[in-house]
Amino acid sequence: MTERFTEDEIVATVTRLTRSQLVQFIEGDLVRPERSGRGYVFRRVDIARLELLCDLSQDLDLDETALGIVISLIDQLHATRQELAAVAHAIDALPTDMQARLTAELKRG
């Protein structure tokens, strides 16, 4: 299964995406593909992000400024979710008595 995609493959895969939109999304720093000697290289996560950008811009008619705000908020939520998962993992690694004390303290707070 391919994990890296060219610009042509991206435009073919994300069917609602035009090449000019792709350029706008890159220039607007809404998607950040890697650069290679042959152009941009995209990952699977970029495909999902581009599909979301197409949905937001076409279905909800968001302009580039609004897209930037929404994507920034989504990125913040994603980072917070990762941090919360790390905290949950750390709590799971604690001895049972400490987990219980921490849980009780959180319920009080």
Side-chain angles (χ1 to χ4, degrees), residues 76-93:
Q76 290 174 43
L77 282 172
H78 182 69
T80 301
R81 186 174 166 212
Q82 288 179 323
E83 291 169 2
L84 184 57
V87 169
H89 181 72
I91 291 170
D92 287 344

Side-chain angles (χ1 to χ4, degrees), residues 7 26-27 32-42 46:
E7 291 177 50
I26 293 169
E27 289 176 353
R32 298 175 190 103
E34 298 172 15
R35 290 278 280 175
S36 77
R38 296 182 185 150
Y40 292 107
V41 178
F42 298 85
D46 295 321

Side-chain angles (χ1 to χ4, degrees), residues 16 45 52 77 83 88 98 105:
R16 298 176 69 190
V45 69
L52 176 60
L77 282 172
E83 291 169 2
M98 290 186 79
E105 201 56 45

Side-chain angles (χ1 to χ4, degrees), residues 31-61:
V31 65
R32 298 175 190 103
E34 298 172 15
R35 290 278 280 175
S36 77
R38 296 182 185 150
Y40 292 107
V41 178
F42 298 85
R43 299 168 293 147
R44 288 202 176 280
V45 69
D46 295 321
I47 292 172
R49 191 174 184 96
L50 287 163
E51 287 174 344
L52 176 60
L53 286 166
C54 286
D55 289 345
L56 293 171
S57 64
Q58 295 171 19
D59 295 346
L60 299 179
D61 200 28

